[in-house]
Amino acid sequence: MSLTQIKNLNRRLDILEAEASNELDRACGNELWRNIGFEAFDRLKDTNRRAIANYYYGQLQTVRELQEVFG
């Protein structure tokens, strides 16, 4: 990959990370999940919100793994 491609990929990963974090804040109703992690979602009573939180947490973990590789 060229340097330009890596910079563009990192920029897109940053955008995805911000989106996932914002959606997790919205689904959980607070930012406590940042300290507790995945276990915070198990406490959500609304199954739809729990599913959304699980989806975006998976996205966030994928983005972080890719950032480690390309960062």
Side-chain angles (χ1 to χ4, degrees), residues 8-63:
N8 284 335
L9 177 60
N10 281 327
R11 183 180 50 80
R12 288 190 302 251
L13 289 172
D14 288 341
I15 291 168
L16 287 172
E17 182 179 26
E19 175 191 24
S21 295
N22 290 337
E23 291 298 326
L24 285 166
D25 288 346
R26 186 175 299 132
C28 294
N30 56 53
E31 295 181 5
L32 290 176
W33 66 269
R34 295 173 193 256
N35 296 326
I36 299 171
F38 187 78
E39 294 153 0
F41 313 136
D42 291 338
R43 298 180 184 156
L44 294 173
K45 293 179 182 178
D46 183 347
T47 57
N48 190 36
R49 287 176 53 194
R50 190 178 322 131
I52 290 169
N54 284 323
Y55 170 80
Y56 280 106
Y57 191 74
Q59 177 178 313
L60 184 62
Q61 291 303 102
T62 302
V63 165

Side-chain angles (χ1 to χ4, degrees), residues 3 6 9-10 13-14 63-71:
L3 184 58
I6 292 172
L9 177 60
N10 281 327
L13 289 172
D14 288 341
V63 165
R64 289 180 176 168
E65 288 176 19
L66 288 170
Q67 285 174 329
E68 279 184 34
V69 172
F70 293 105

